[in-house]
Amino acid sequence: MSRSLVLKRDASPESLVATLKALELQKTLDSEPVLTALRHFPAQPARHVPFPAALHPKLCEALRGRGIEQLYSHQAAAYETAREGRNLVVVTPTASGKTLCYNLPVLDRILKDPDARALYLFPTKALAQDQLAELYGMVEALGADIGTFTYDGDTPQDARKAIRSRAHVVVTNPDMLHKGVLPHHTKWVKLFENLRYVVIDELHTSRGVYGSHVANVLRRLRRICEFYGSKPQFLCSSATIGNPQELAEALVEQPVELIDDNGAPRGERHFAIYNPPVVNRQLGIRRSALGSARDIALSFLQKGLQTIVFAPSRLATEVLVTYLKESLETKPGSDGVIRGYRGGYLPLQRREIEKGLRDGEVLGVVSTNALELGVDIGSLDVSILLGYPGSVASAWQQAGRAGRRQGSSVAVLVANSTPLNQFIATHPDYFFDSPVEYGRINPENLHILLAHVKCAAFELPFTDGERFGKEDLREILAFLEAERLVHQTAGRWHWTSESYPADAVSLRSVSSDNFVVQDITREPRIIAEVDFSSAPMTLHEKAVYLLEGKTFFVEKYDHEERRAHVREAEVDYYTDAITYTKVKILDRFEGAAAKRAAKNHGEVHVSSQVVGFKKIKFWTNENVGAGELQMPENQIHTTSYWLTIPRELLQGLLYTSEEKRDGVVGLSYVMSQLAALFLLCDRRDLGVAVGDNGQGEARVERGLRRLPATLRRDPLPGDDYEPNVFLYDNYPGGIGLSEPLFRLHDRLLDESLRLIEACRCEDGCPSCVGPPGEIGARGKEVARALLKAILG
């Protein structure tokens, strides 16, 4: 059923602007406008150049057959750079034709040298499938015998041998390269002997832990290529980040040329920041961001404007899908005009949703950041961001999903009540004028490096003096020999264990084991997957699991089998897990007095456990119940920054023990929000906990919310209470955030105090230290007093 049969479409620029103006007329209690910013970005014309003289005539003919008479200037620059034998990274906006920047040099080389091979790496299977269709179209237009195949976990076993022998272009992802190609390089001799190009698409996603893993996978790839006598060029493409050239060079460990002068046209765009109205000034309570995003989405959807809403979590995605379906899927034939999209949906379901968006069958989609990458979903009119996604780069990437094909478009960022979002809403210039974040990786992280040294030793013996990263390889190999994993003989280190090391290393999470969700309402069937770290919070027994507006009751959680049994259930609530976290200091790398407190960074042990859940009613968000749980603990060693507040300073404040603890919890809340902003990292990269100088216990995953009385485990602090506020790297081994935080200590405390004092609530609110019902009636007052005492 086409969406045009369901709702009349009005996608004129005037209609888009009129809808925004209607939002602008809304006011908050004291006449503050809810639209804190509305920026207009005019259309930009294309800059074309003729086809390069060296381009193969068949390619010129194929491009003209597809309606391309000239190249954009950046496409021509990429072709010439690749032809001259240099590595490159192309950084241009969404829908600017980056795909041709690497397809042209690759296809040109294969046409001129049929023995040449290329390896394409995409961060996700969905993106690989999408780009493969584009490549197929080019190869078909050429009429040439260029074998182009995907090779991933879904590739049938009987097809794999043919791919290894016939493929000129192998399209895969870093995970499959890591587990399915490099360990079996002897089966890929033809590829590695003739490998001329390695394409890395969506380079900006290769940061943090994942990027640190990818850098080590590429080290292993270059090592194997050298063994077979090839030295491939690296052709990279990226969305806008602050240091694309630096990140590319860190990943491939070779010089890389930057191409960032965009020659593609850009359609007219409007970008608004919407701050939901205040509904209770005394308590600092604003209208729900999710409810506001729902109403804004409906104002566009009811005009037939194709809209994408980016939600911050899987739970928010499913709740919003439920709301929009109830509002719009009421007429005959309207089923399916609203869809959800997130990790955990089965591949065929995701392909169906993508096709529905391209064909116009789907009017609105609510997605996590899974659709932030360049999967082709057609020409959307509106992009709504439910909350600041944690980085300027992600915000622009999500906003860019509307208006991909030159038409007018609108993006609306709906701020939630967290300090980070309120900072963005009240300082829009910070967002619009801020430099885009840097992509940081730490491939020398010992936890990650050791895992890949094992994999590399399995693939090829190490020789004495061989380099693999910056760490002393002899020390690592000696450790592995002591563990009886390698054996040294005649200057070579051979893998001797019967284990398959790559299988134990996941590039994206602590564990590579996903949980499957099995619907047992009727015939048992798999309906979704959930990653290992999220499973205890979303699939615990008595949880309500949401999938595209349907509610399922979790009857059984099987940790050993990595499986959850669910049954369809008509319920009017969803569940939200409560996590309890303990932090223990293992080693202090550096510490110093900082005015009247102390700052430190070092190694810590973090153990977290889901101990209960809350039942939240749809539409009203009332808390209608709670339950206790005893889920398996998750433990990691990582690095952390922590603030120690001296007990003498705390004893000098005239508050009760409980009020002091509430003040520390409120302080930790605002510090954790601002730390992510100043580090230019994703909020989820940082964990937060409060402890008593050496060991701490806190509510972490859900923002340090006050636990129900039956689930409290921390006694009231005594007279010797000396609190630590931990901000730790939320990944095993750490990713290098704790030392920068240690250096940013003074700014972090100064800005925390400034934010608390500037907030006009009386007793605390989500925009500063958290609401009074969760951090106590005097939480804001005590947090402010603590900061003033520390800063003198």
Side-chain angles (χ1 to χ4, degrees):
M1 176 67 66
S2 171
R3 61 189 163 98
S4 61
L5 296 179
V6 179
L7 295 165
K8 186 179 178 183
R9 175 174 163 78
D10 181 7
S12 65
E14 294 77 17
S15 175
L16 290 166
V17 174
T19 307
L20 280 176
K21 292 295 183 185
L23 296 177
E24 198 170 22
L25 293 175
Q26 296 179 25
K27 300 287 181 181
T28 190
L29 276 180
D30 48 5
S31 298
E32 285 180 358
V34 294
L35 224 57
T36 63
L38 177 55
R39 298 290 174 92
H40 174 244
F41 299 91
Q44 288 185 358
R47 284 185 288 118
H48 290 106
V49 296
F51 293 138
L55 192 63
H56 196 285
K58 276 192 173 182
L59 264 176
C60 298
E61 186 182 331
L63 289 169
R64 290 192 180 102
R66 294 164 68 89
I68 301 172
E69 296 292 335
Q70 299 181 89
L71 298 181
Y72 297 139
S73 55
H74 64 277
Q75 293 171 335
Y79 172 80
E80 292 294 351
T81 303
R83 193 175 68 85
E84 292 165 7
R86 288 174 285 162
N87 303 315
L88 61 92
V89 57
V90 179
V91 185
T92 53
T94 309
S96 56
K98 288 195 284 282
T99 303
L100 265 187
C101 292
Y102 49 77
N103 278 347
L104 278 187
V106 168
L107 295 173
D108 184 64
R109 180 66 177 265
I110 294 172
L111 286 171
K112 294 171 180 175
D113 175 12
D115 287 334
R117 298 290 185 266
L119 180 67
Y120 282 37
L121 298 177
F122 295 97
T124 64
K125 287 193 282 189
L127 192 56
Q129 294 286 350
D130 186 62
Q131 294 299 322
L132 184 69
E134 172 76 16
L135 193 54
Y136 273 152
M138 282 292 295
V139 171
E140 195 174 313
L142 286 170
D145 182 20
I146 299 177
T148 305
F149 302 96
T150 52
Y151 191 86
D152 57 32
D154 298 332
T155 305
Q157 289 294 332
D158 56 355
R160 296 187 177 196
K161 186 175 180 181
I163 292 171
R164 288 193 286 262
S165 60
R166 293 179 45 216
H168 290 89
V169 179
V170 177
V171 179
T172 187
N173 53 67
D175 310 79
M176 192 63 179
L177 178 64
H178 156 62
K179 286 187 178 180
V181 177
L182 297 180
H184 308 290
H185 58 87
T186 54
K187 297 179 180 179
W188 293 86
V189 173
K190 199 164 187 178
L191 173 74
F192 289 118
E193 283 183 340
N194 298 284
L195 191 59
R196 299 292 175 261
Y197 292 114
V198 176
V199 171
I200 306 174
D201 196 27
E202 304 286 358
L203 179 95
H204 62 283
T205 64
S206 295
R207 58 184 192 261
V209 173
Y210 172 65
S212 303
H213 275 295
V214 170
N216 278 286
V217 171
L218 294 176
R219 283 172 176 170
R220 290 159 51 199
L221 171 65
R222 292 195 308 275
R223 186 169 177 259
I224 287 172
C225 287
E226 186 178 345
F227 176 78
Y228 286 104
S230 63
K231 189 177 180 182
Q233 281 174 252
F234 290 89
L235 311 180
C236 310
S237 76
S238 172
T240 303
I241 54 173
N243 62 334
Q245 185 175 18
E246 178 189 340
L247 178 61
E249 290 180 341
L251 283 165
V252 307
E253 296 181 317
Q254 294 175 10
V256 176
E257 185 155 325
L258 175 66
I259 297 171
D260 60 354
D261 186 13
N262 179 34
R266 188 182 72 187
E268 177 188 40
R269 180 187 301 171
H270 301 270
F271 198 126
I273 297 179
Y274 180 95
N275 202 13
V278 173
V279 293
N280 186 319
R281 173 61 65 193
Q282 184 178 6
L283 296 178
I285 296 174
R286 292 183 177 272
R287 184 166 178 246
S288 155
L290 193 144
S292 298
R294 174 195 64 211
D295 292 348
I296 293 169
L298 284 172
S299 68
F300 289 108
L301 289 165
Q302 285 166 347
K303 293 185 177 181
L305 297 169
Q306 208 172 13
T307 300
I308 183 169
V309 183
F310 284 100
S313 67
R314 297 174 182 188
L315 181 60
T317 298
E318 295 295 350
V319 170
L320 198 48
V321 167
T322 302
Y323 291 166
L324 293 178
K325 277 180 174 288
E326 288 185 11
S327 298
L328 291 174
E329 294 187 1
T330 55
K331 299 179 182 178
S334 63
D335 288 353
V337 296
I338 301 297
R339 301 297 297 268
Y341 191 104
R342 59 172 174 80
Y345 284 15
L346 300 177
L348 287 177
Q349 190 178 8
R350 293 200 296 267
R351 299 299 87 75
E352 176 198 333
I353 296 165
E354 292 158 15
K355 183 177 184 299
L357 284 164
R358 287 194 298 271
D359 297 345
E361 305 291 323
V362 175
L363 179 66
V365 64
V366 184
S367 174
T368 58
N369 60 2
L371 274 179
E372 184 179 309
L373 302 180
V375 176
D376 183 13
I377 53 174
S379 178
L380 306 184
D381 303 308
V382 181
S383 177
I384 297 170
L385 286 61
L386 173 49
Y388 177 62
S391 72
V392 174
S394 284
W396 284 111
Q397 185 81 349
Q398 292 180 7
R401 295 306 267 160
R404 284 172 57 86
R405 294 177 182 163
Q406 303 182 30
S408 296
S409 65
V410 163
V412 182
L413 168 59
V414 181
N416 61 35
S417 294
T418 64
L420 174 56
N421 275 253
Q422 288 304 303
F423 186 92
I424 296 293
T426 55
H427 301 80
D429 290 342
Y430 179 92
F431 170 73
F432 286 111
D433 303 334
S434 176
V436 181
E437 293 85 358
Y438 280 37
R440 293 189 176 91
I441 61 172
N442 180 20
E444 311 309 323
N445 173 305
L446 199 55
H447 181 87
I448 294 171
L449 181 66
L450 181 63
H452 288 279
V453 170
K454 290 179 187 177
C455 296
F458 176 89
E459 291 152 5
L460 290 170
F462 279 104
T463 57
D464 282 343
E466 185 177 347
R467 302 292 299 172
F468 191 89
K470 299 172 185 174
E471 292 289 329
D472 187 348
L473 200 56
R474 290 173 300 178
E475 193 175 331
I476 294 175
L477 290 171
F479 168 78
L480 294 179
E481 186 176 38
E483 294 290 310
R484 298 185 179 181
L485 296 173
V486 300
H487 176 67
Q488 184 186 24
T489 178
R492 293 164 71 84
W493 301 78
H494 297 265
W495 183 259
T496 56
S497 171
E498 293 182 3
S499 64
Y500 180 65
D503 203 37
V505 180
S506 168
L507 305 191
R508 300 172 193 266
S509 62
V510 179
S511 170
S512 57
D513 298 336
N514 281 348
F515 278 69
V516 293
V517 183
Q518 187 173 43
D519 179 11
I520 57 171
T521 309
R522 288 168 284 276
E523 283 294 313
R525 63 190 182 103
I526 304 298
I527 58 171
E529 286 185 326
V530 175
D531 64 88
F532 180 86
S533 58
S534 301
M537 291 183 284
T538 55
L539 296 176
H540 59 79
E541 292 179 4
K542 302 178 187 176
V544 173
Y545 183 75
L546 301 173
L547 185 70
E548 285 217 275
K550 291 183 179 178
T551 51
F552 297 85
F553 190 76
V554 180
E555 293 196 347
K556 182 181 179 183
Y557 172 88
D558 191 330
H559 191 79
E560 296 300 321
E561 294 294 324
R562 306 291 194 258
R563 182 183 300 270
H565 293 166
V566 303
R567 192 181 297 275
E568 284 185 31
E570 290 290 330
V571 293
D572 61 354
Y573 67 90
Y574 59 92
T575 50
D576 196 11
I578 299 166
T579 304
Y580 199 86
T581 296
K582 295 183 289 186
V583 178
K584 182 176 182 178
I585 299 168
L586 300 177
D587 188 17
R588 183 180 281 100
F589 299 154
E590 194 172 357
K595 298 188 177 173
R596 297 188 63 196
K599 60 177 181 177
N600 309 271
H601 77 96
E603 185 179 358
V604 296
H605 175 267
V606 180
S607 59
S608 58
Q609 184 180 25
V610 174
V611 296
F613 64 94
K614 296 178 287 185
K615 297 178 181 179
I616 311 294
K617 198 173 179 66
F618 283 119
W619 298 101
T620 64
N621 288 326
E622 293 173 83
N623 189 335
V624 292
E628 295 186 46
L629 295 168
Q630 197 68 31
M631 302 295 286
E633 273 195 351
N634 181 34
Q635 303 186 28
I636 61 170
H637 282 196
T638 185
T639 54
S640 177
Y641 149 85
W642 64 94
L643 161 72
T644 302
I645 302 173
R647 63 175 60 88
E648 295 80 15
L649 184 148
L650 205 62
Q651 288 168 352
L653 299 179
L654 302 177
Y655 299 100
T656 67
S657 295
E658 185 171 11
E659 288 168 346
K660 291 175 185 178
R661 181 186 59 192
D662 289 343
V664 174
V665 170
L667 173 59
S668 70
Y669 179 71
V670 68
M671 285 175 65
S672 68
Q673 299 284 331
L674 291 181
L677 186 69
F678 298 151
L679 284 176
L680 300 174
C681 73
D682 192 301
R683 172 67 190 84
R684 289 161 292 194
D685 289 341
L686 278 175
V688 54
V690 175
D692 189 356
N693 202 16
Q695 294 193 33
E697 297 186 354
R699 287 69 66 203
V700 176
E701 301 300 338
R702 298 298 174 192
L704 290 168
R705 300 298 189 240
R706 183 180 292 273
L707 292 171
T710 57
L711 302 177
R712 294 299 293 266
R713 295 188 178 184
D714 48 334
L716 285 177
D719 292 337
D720 60 347
Y721 180 48
E722 189 168 71
N724 283 330
V725 176
F726 294 95
L727 300 179
Y728 60 86
D729 294 19
N730 217 355
Y731 297 95
I735 50 172
L737 300 178
S738 60
E739 186 174 359
L741 266 181
F742 179 79
R743 311 287 170 218
L744 282 167
H745 171 90
D746 291 343
R747 182 187 177 196
L748 184 60
L749 295 192
D750 286 340
E751 291 295 340
S752 295
L753 178 60
R754 189 169 291 123
L755 187 146
I756 292 171
E757 291 188 325
C759 187
R760 289 182 287 175
C761 70
E762 293 185 13
D763 301 317
C765 71
S767 301
C768 56
V769 296
E774 297 175 353
I775 53 95
R778 303 183 76 180
K780 178 179 181 178
E781 179 187 340
V782 179
R784 180 171 54 223
L786 278 169
L787 282 168
K788 285 187 171 182
I790 291 168
L791 296 171

